[in-house]
Amino acid sequence: MMNRSLFDLARKMTLEKASREFRDFRQAHAYTAARRLMDETFADFPDIDHSFVREFQSAGFSARVLELALFAALREQGKELDRTSPAPDFVMVGDDPVAIEATTTNPPQGETAEDVDLAAAVRRSIPNDLEAAEAEFVFQIGKALRRKLEHRDAQGRAYWEKPHVEGVPFVLAVQSFHDPSALFLTTGPLATYLYGIRDVPSRDSDGSLVLNSQVVTEHRRKDKTIPSGLFAQPEAEHLAAVIFTNSATVSKFSRMGTERGYGPQDVAIARCGVMYDPDPNAALPVPFGYVVGDYGPGEHETFSEGFHVLHNPWTRTPVAAGALDGFTEHHLQPDGRLLTTIRHPDYVVSRTMIIQGDKALLTARLRVQQYLTSDAGRR
């Protein structure tokens, strides 16, 4: 295959016309490892309609990063992909085929990343009002999913009606970028919206954790409401599942590229956040922190980490058992509770700190130690 690069400017594209996200990423020394891993991944990526590079360099930067990470995740799981048609984005073939279309939530028109100061964006990565942020997250995710469900091509066909995917389970993959703090939100509010239920934790007389299901009929944002339980709505009868992630980002490519030795010696990466607690009586996640590379190859991050599959129990064409078992899976049980099968370290939310300088590695280790001994790290 002819060598291709995501960072060679597309025809008629100048650096000044490219998005600021792309310009900053293309030029920054600290992102050397991410750029090399992205180019390595893209070398095997079939760009059917020849639009990927142009969109990656312009307004579609985040959406194309999601698409590239999802492609890499499916490939590392050994999935055979048919990319002879531009839509849906990926069609898994074989005994258990699945058609996957990727989408994102995006900032309101006119409020692109060009208008956001990068330092301010970092400060805003954690929402000030979590309840309001979750409400906005549900509305934005709902809009993105419905937009794809309502989409029809020039022949008036939905994704699942195209000849090459007819009868194949149809899945939507989604990630949220509508706000700098959107990546802080996880599968919890999304599951509530899709299934129309939420788990309410309590403790029994022995102090053991008890989860009870609570029916949710609608979601409210200021003076607007939308119905809950998208999976049970008629418009979603052909939607077999939703794949969600909050980690298919530049940071993932930076961490994984650094693990592979693609980064310069004066750049180090620290990752801190909270992760799933396997204790059955734990109601909250536990803090974690590490310096990328301070462990052996057997503990290297995978592309599949961070992807969650929420299965629709009411769909006409369900995903076959095992077809997407390379990801964390969620199934609604008859008692209304959600059964989650975790196959990777489940980092609920994290912050990746890229540190540059002669003492980058020492500084990164100090940052991790400071986090783990802080109030946030001791919780």
Side-chain angles (χ1 to χ4, degrees):
M1 179 180 294
M2 182 177 62
N3 288 334
R4 304 177 301 166
S5 174
L6 288 166
F7 305 97
D8 293 336
L9 292 175
R11 184 179 301 177
K12 297 183 180 180
M13 175 79 74
T14 65
L15 194 58
E16 290 72 25
K17 291 182 179 179
S19 70
R20 195 189 66 186
E21 286 177 300
F22 172 75
R23 294 198 307 267
D24 290 346
F25 181 55
R26 180 179 186 264
Q27 296 171 331
H29 175 69
Y31 290 124
T32 300
R35 289 195 297 269
R36 180 174 169 185
L37 182 55
M38 282 186 174
D39 263 346
E40 183 179 277
T41 304
F42 185 63
D44 296 325
F45 183 91
D47 185 11
I48 302 305
D49 57 4
H50 307 292
S51 64
F52 191 95
V53 174
R54 183 184 69 253
E55 293 172 357
F56 177 82
Q57 296 176 2
S58 54
F61 179 81
S62 295
R64 300 290 81 75
V65 173
L66 165 62
E67 196 173 332
L68 197 64
L70 180 56
F71 166 74
L74 294 170
R75 187 179 61 171
E76 77 180 4
Q77 294 175 28
K79 307 299 185 185
E80 183 181 352
L81 301 176
D82 175 7
R83 288 275 294 172
T84 57
S85 176
D89 292 314
F90 305 103
V91 179
M92 290 167 40
V93 297
D95 294 337
D96 300 315
V98 178
I100 304 172
E101 174 71 11
T103 189
T104 57
T105 70
N106 303 303
Q109 190 171 6
E111 297 182 22
T112 66
E114 299 284 348
D115 306 317
V116 179
D117 175 75
L118 291 181
V122 171
R123 291 193 297 271
R124 292 167 56 200
S125 61
I126 299 177
N128 293 324
D129 185 336
L130 183 57
E131 184 176 346
E134 287 189 352
E136 183 67 22
F137 172 82
V138 167
F139 269 70
Q140 293 292 338
I141 289 278
K143 182 170 67 173
L145 296 178
R146 291 193 303 273
R147 184 172 62 242
K148 288 294 185 179
L149 292 175
E150 295 168 359
H151 173 80
R152 299 296 183 268
D153 64 13
Q155 288 73 44
R157 299 173 303 197
Y159 288 106
W160 54 87
E161 294 173 331
K162 294 178 182 291
H164 66 294
V165 295
E166 193 170 359
V168 173
F170 176 66
V171 173
L172 286 172
V174 65
Q175 185 165 215
S176 54
F177 294 102
H178 56 273
D179 186 85
S181 66
L183 292 173
F184 184 83
L185 283 305
T186 62
T187 54
L190 174 60
T192 298
Y193 169 64
L194 293 177
Y195 295 108
I197 56 141
R198 67 162 59 94
D199 286 336
V200 179
S202 62
R203 300 284 177 178
D204 63 15
S205 58
D206 297 324
S208 297
L209 179 68
V210 177
L211 294 176
N212 295 298
S213 295
Q214 181 184 76
V215 174
V216 178
T217 58
E218 66 179 21
H219 298 271
R220 180 175 296 276
R221 182 189 61 178
K222 298 180 181 178
D223 60 342
K224 296 182 178 180
T225 62
I226 58 172
S228 192
L230 175 66
F231 276 158
Q233 302 298 322
E235 64 190 288
E237 63 180 350
H238 297 285
L239 180 60
V242 168
I243 297 175
F244 171 79
T245 184
N246 63 357
S247 65
T249 61
V250 165
S251 293
K252 174 180 273 288
F253 282 92
S254 290
R255 295 191 303 266
M256 293 184 64
T258 298
E259 287 177 337
R260 299 179 188 200
Y262 294 169
Q265 293 297 310
D266 63 342
V267 173
I269 299 179
R271 187 185 189 191
C272 299
V274 293
M275 64 184 298
Y276 169 78
D277 188 342
D279 183 346
N281 281 318
L284 297 173
V286 293
F288 78 91
Y290 64 83
V291 173
V292 173
D294 275 3
Y295 39 79
E299 298 177 275
H300 279 188
E301 185 173 353
T302 67
F303 280 108
S304 299
E305 288 179 24
F307 280 98
H308 295 251
V309 183
L310 297 97
H311 292 271
N312 183 358
W314 299 286
T315 184
R316 286 190 177 190
T317 313
V319 174
L324 294 173
D325 62 1
F327 301 132
T328 294
E329 294 188 274
H330 307 265
H331 289 89
L332 186 65
Q333 302 302 293
D335 63 0
R337 294 178 56 189
L338 207 59
L339 175 64
T340 299
T341 305
I342 298 174
R343 298 183 175 89
H344 308 281
D346 191 1
Y347 300 112
V348 179
V349 66
S350 69
R351 180 182 175 190
T352 297
M353 295 170 280
I354 301 179
I355 301 158
Q356 185 175 333
D358 293 339
K359 298 182 179 179
L361 186 58
L362 180 63
T363 303
R365 289 169 176 161
L366 180 61
R367 293 279 182 88
V368 169
Q369 182 181 12
Q370 289 173 337
Y371 171 75
L372 293 176
T373 57
S374 67
D375 290 341
R378 288 196 299 265
R379 281 191 302 180

